[in-house]
Amino acid sequence: MPDRPLHPRTRAVHHGIRRSQYGEMAEALFLTQGFAYDSAEQAEARFQHSGPDEFIYARYGNPTSRMFEDRMASLEGTEDAFATASGMAAVNGALMAVAAPGSRIVAARQLFGSCLYVLELLRKFGVEVVLIDGTDLDQWRDAVTPGTAACFLETVSNPTLEVMDLAGIAEIAHAAGALVVADNVFATPVFSRAVELGADVVVYSTTKHVDGGGRALGGVICGSREFVRTKAEPYLKHTGGAISPFNAWIMLNGLTTMDLRVRAMADSAQAVAEALQGAGLRVVYPGLPEHPQHALAMRQIGSGGTMIALDLGTKQAAFAMLDRLRLVSISNNLGDAKSIVTHPATTTHQRLPEAEREGLGIGPGLLRLSVGLEHPDDLIADLLGALA
């Protein structure tokens, strides 16, 4: 590797490669559950202490998974990372690593439905969970008391696209001795400045933009080596939350094109948002000057991202538009090469009580659009045609 620092796009192609004795160019896929030892003494030593390239069992680590972890840590700017079976395994693992009976977690209420479910589970085990409006720094100041274990937020909320002031929240959290755990999926690893802005732990569903092809589930926890290896890893490896080697291999291949894909998707999302706004539709997109946190988004992310929220007012209007689409698929994934739209109130957030959904801004007419790699003119034609 060159002596000078490499650009993120280059690190996403090269970092962490471990070649076998055959010198393969593509990242090797190690489809194995366990590993053989040269002696009983070596087996004993491995179980007492395993180095970064000493493996015991695929649930504990694997050469393919380790390549992916090293590459994600390099991109995110953290010391280490642990790859998980899904994005929710990453969220659960990160929060379980900081939670204990009697501890306090302050979280933005603008969260994906499954994240809210995990917080509900923590309450059952004696963790005090305080939900606040994540866009209001005064509420963070009031809620984050000395002894708070962690602050948890989505840097850009799913599905309403509210942007959290990560630097401001981190300053408040760190003054109280709390860790900042940031779910950074909508910001993406391409536009991420989460660590620079003060996040201590960054989690991703790599199912989204990292894979980018709708092929496999995966997640990752990025943070300090001490947090990843002594707090998150023991919980995940003993409870079965580690990524499979095959899925890690898919994610490694996805990383090589992620920068190009995500930037193209974000450019298209900007064009689509502007076109839909011109059609008189209520459009929520951080790249639009009308977005309440537009200036913050540009300062914190530098892009509007790949996601758009549309509000058609009623469920009937939203469903009618969905059923008229011909190019954009109705599905509940995001960050895919194919454009995808979903109706959160009846899918991803349907388990929340109606009043709680409305409080989060998830009304009956809200649609979440993930812009893919299709030509923006074709997407605009399909979406405007479905609105006609």
Side-chain angles (χ1 to χ4, degrees):
M1 287 288 185
D3 293 332
R4 66 174 182 81
L6 298 173
H7 291 282
R9 185 187 297 182
T10 306
R11 296 202 305 273
V13 175
H14 288 281
H15 196 88
I17 287 179
R18 289 165 166 78
R19 289 194 171 97
S20 75
Q21 68 271 33
Y22 300 110
E24 64 280 345
M25 279 298 294
E27 290 84 353
L29 171 55
F30 290 88
L31 284 179
T32 181
Q33 298 162 325
F35 301 85
Y37 311 104
D38 295 334
S39 65
E41 290 76 15
Q42 186 188 56
E44 179 186 34
R46 288 271 182 94
F47 272 80
Q48 289 175 345
H49 173 74
S50 295
D53 287 301
E54 296 175 326
F55 300 100
I56 296 171
Y57 191 59
R59 181 159 46 84
Y60 286 34
N62 173 282
T64 308
S65 304
R66 192 59 53 82
M67 283 190 270
F68 176 53
E69 291 165 352
D70 286 352
R71 197 169 292 181
M72 281 300 308
S74 175
L75 283 175
E76 201 61 32
T78 58
E79 291 179 344
D80 211 340
F82 189 87
T84 60
S86 67
M88 284 314 305
V91 169
N92 181 56
L95 292 177
M96 287 294 290
V98 299
S103 63
R104 180 183 179 92
I105 292 177
V106 179
R109 61 179 173 80
Q110 298 97 327
L111 292 171
F112 179 55
S114 295
C115 294
L116 291 168
Y117 180 80
V118 171
L119 292 173
E120 288 176 18
L121 286 179
L122 291 176
R123 281 188 171 129
K124 292 182 180 180
F125 294 109
V127 177
E128 182 186 10
V129 176
V130 180
L131 295 176
I132 61 170
D133 179 354
T135 64
D136 187 343
L137 288 180
D138 286 335
Q139 291 195 31
W140 286 102
R141 291 187 186 97
D142 292 341
V144 180
T145 57
T148 298
C151 295
F152 176 54
L153 64 140
E154 293 173 356
T155 52
V156 182
S157 67
N158 179 6
T160 52
L161 297 171
E162 294 174 88
V163 183
M164 310 298 147
D165 186 345
L166 183 54
I169 295 165
E171 183 179 355
I172 294 165
H174 294 158
L179 290 177
V180 176
V181 180
D183 183 331
N184 211 35
V185 168
F186 276 29
T188 81
V190 172
F191 298 120
S192 175
R193 292 177 55 222
V195 172
E196 176 188 338
L197 293 169
D200 301 292
V201 180
V202 184
V203 297
Y204 286 103
S205 170
T206 62
T207 307
K208 311 303 189 289
H209 302 91
V210 175
D211 172 12
R215 297 165 293 190
L217 295 177
V220 69
I221 301 172
C222 302
S224 69
R225 185 158 291 113
E226 190 272 336
F227 179 86
V228 169
R229 295 301 162 186
T230 68
K231 292 184 170 64
E233 180 188 355
Y235 172 75
L236 287 159
K237 72 184 184 183
H238 290 300
T239 56
I243 197 170
S244 76
F246 184 75
N247 286 14
W249 180 77
I250 288 175
M251 300 302 165
L252 273 167
N253 284 276
L255 281 173
T256 61
T257 60
M258 179 182 65
D259 189 282
L260 297 169
R261 286 186 286 102
V262 169
R263 291 185 189 278
M265 292 156 68
D267 288 346
S268 292
Q270 182 75 37
V272 169
E274 291 172 358
L276 292 174
Q277 189 182 45
L281 194 65
R282 179 173 174 262
V283 179
V284 181
Y285 180 65
L288 295 174
E290 294 78 9
H291 189 283
Q293 295 97 35
H294 171 72
L296 174 62
M298 294 302 101
R299 186 169 68 249
Q300 185 165 287
I301 306 168
S303 167
T306 67
M307 305 297 300
I308 302 171
L310 315 173
D311 197 340
L312 281 78
T314 67
K315 175 182 173 181
Q316 290 76 13
F319 274 32
M321 179 183 178
L322 291 175
D323 291 343
R324 286 194 292 264
L325 290 167
R326 295 294 176 263
L327 182 62
V328 179
S329 300
I330 303 171
S331 185
N332 49 287
N333 192 24
L334 61 93
D336 199 308
K338 301 176 181 67
S339 291
I340 289 171
V341 66
T342 193
H343 183 251
T346 55
T347 58
T348 57
H349 290 71
Q350 57 82 28
R351 64 174 295 275
L352 297 178
E354 183 178 354
E356 191 172 342
R357 287 199 305 269
E358 292 283 354
L360 291 170
I362 306 170
L366 187 76
L367 297 176
R368 187 192 72 189
L369 173 64
S370 172
V371 176
L373 287 174
E374 302 93 346
H375 194 285
D377 290 352
D378 295 328
L379 293 175
I380 290 167
D382 191 39
L383 291 160
L384 291 181
L387 281 169

